[in-house]
Amino acid sequence: MKPLALLIESIRSGIIASLVIVPLSPIFKAAGLRIGHYGPKFAALFFDDPQPWLLFLQHLVIGCVSALPLLVILARTSAGRRPLIAGAAYGAAYYVVVNSLALPVYFSDPLPWQMGAATVLPSLFGHIIFGASIGLTSKRFVTTARELA
């Protein structure tokens, strides 16, 4: 797997997946559910009063970075044979490790699991869709990378 090709695919599929999940936020917020809780908190570590455009840019960058490990997994393991399922599983695992454990612990927040399904499900669903999207959009890259291995 060529590093430049991996970087380009991480940017491409990461941006696509990040854009795919954007419509979920207003839908879940309109339903009174919590979504996007850690975006502003994370941005505030680096910027005073982060504006919406900056939060959106951060969302895209985190999406690209988050896509990279999944692409490596898909290209180097048998998970690449079932990219949609592997991507969805990656999204769920990412939610559990990062959004339901690491970020709440870092920011001294209660764990989403302690706050109930209305807190867990919107973000978990979004992360599953994010991973599945990468699984779908990266098929050509994964196939090529597997053939070159």
Side-chain angles (χ1 to χ4, degrees):
M1 178 175 6
K2 296 181 180 180
L4 181 59
L6 176 61
L7 177 64
I8 290 169
E9 184 59 30
S10 182
I11 292 168
R12 187 184 79 82
S13 60
I15 287 174
I16 292 169
S18 295
L19 293 174
V20 164
I21 64 172
V22 165
L24 297 177
S25 183
I27 292 169
F28 288 137
K29 285 182 180 180
L33 302 172
R34 187 176 98 166
I35 190 80
H37 181 72
Y38 287 106
K41 284 187 168 201
F42 187 75
L45 295 173
F46 307 100
F47 302 97
D48 294 330
D49 190 31
Q51 299 300 304
W53 68 267
L54 183 64
L55 295 174
F56 180 70
L57 181 62
Q58 173 186 261
H59 175 73
L60 296 177
V61 170
I62 290 172
C64 295
V65 171
S66 299
L68 196 138
L70 175 55
L71 294 170
V72 171
I73 291 167
L74 292 173
R76 296 207 173 177
T77 71
S78 61
R81 293 186 193 119
R82 291 186 172 22
L84 180 65
I85 293 169
Y90 174 85
Y94 187 99
Y95 170 76
V96 170
V97 172
V98 177
N99 289 73
S100 81
L101 295 172
L103 290 171
V105 168
Y106 181 83
F107 288 107
S108 300
D109 289 343
L111 300 180
W113 307 96
Q114 296 169 318
M115 297 166 51
T119 301
V120 172
L121 294 178
S123 189
L124 175 59
F125 181 74
H127 283 86
I128 290 170
I129 298 299
F130 175 84
S133 174
I134 292 169
L136 287 174
T137 60
S138 67
K139 280 185 176 182
R140 182 181 301 155
F141 167 80
V142 170
T143 301
T144 302
R146 292 173 69 80
E147 288 171 357
L148 296 176

